[in-house]
Amino acid sequence: RRGVSLALTLHGFARRLAWAEAHGRRLEVAREEWAQAARVARLIADDEGFDRLVTGSDAGSFDTPHGTLDELYHLRRCGISARRVLRAATVGGARALRREGELGTLRAGARADVVLWDVDPLALPEEGWRDLARHVVAVVCDGELAWSRGPL
């Protein structure tokens, strides 16, 4: 009844694959791991009844920094729609925290942590999500401007 949320943590698989490609070691294993992770991601995302996909990463060790925006790109890379990825990053997290309606949405009375981009991420092709961070114009935390590239 409470439900289970799932953060796929694709960032670690992607980093292992990039390392294997750069060093020419364990390449087939890394490719197979990535392919399996991508299949699982697509199966979960294609299940319209499962609306508890969240973004995030338990990465953060010395060689794998947290990469939330990277995680969004990796979900897109797996073939998950832009709309589904943004839902996972917003409503999915709120649902996982059991704070749906208070977090993860833009509406009066909701707590607003917002990233503003100079592009529409829904219109970007999959590869455009790789550099999503360079499109950030401003960040709003708890309804207050926390950072901006320039005047808004």
Side-chain angles (χ1 to χ4, degrees):
R1 180 165 194 170
R2 292 183 181 181
V4 173
S5 296
L6 178 65
L8 293 168
T9 312
L10 297 169
H11 190 63
F13 290 106
R15 297 249 326 174
R16 267 197 302 284
L17 178 57
W19 183 90
E21 288 172 341
H23 295 89
R25 294 176 44 199
R26 298 185 45 85
L27 191 53
E28 289 309 312
V29 171
R31 284 181 177 154
E32 182 55 31
E33 287 175 345
W34 174 258
Q36 287 177 10
R39 278 193 296 274
V40 169
R42 282 190 304 275
L43 281 171
I44 291 165
D46 288 346
D47 181 356
E48 288 302 319
F50 184 79
D51 198 22
R52 291 182 138 335
L53 183 62
V54 300
T55 58
S57 175
D58 63 354
S61 65
F62 69 95
D63 66 341
T64 308
H66 289 282
T68 302
L69 284 177
D70 290 337
E71 193 71 15
L72 301 183
Y73 165 64
H74 297 313
L75 288 167
R76 288 289 290 129
R77 216 174 128 192
C78 289
I80 297 173
S81 74
R83 186 168 305 281
R84 185 83 154 123
V85 170
L86 288 178
R87 281 190 56 79
T90 55
V91 177
R95 190 171 286 149
L97 294 169
R98 297 186 187 116
R99 295 176 72 183
E100 198 171 5
E102 178 191 350
L103 304 174
T105 185
L106 290 177
R107 67 169 185 75
R111 292 190 58 200
D113 287 356
V114 181
V115 176
L116 302 173
W117 289 296
D118 61 8
V119 296
D120 177 0
L122 295 175
L124 284 176
E126 173 189 307
E127 205 47 43
W129 285 62
R130 176 187 293 271
D131 297 317
L132 204 52
R134 73 182 174 93
H135 293 286
V136 174
V137 174
V139 177
V140 176
C141 294
D142 284 329
E144 300 290 327
L145 183 64
W147 177 87
S148 71
R149 188 186 313 160
L152 296 180

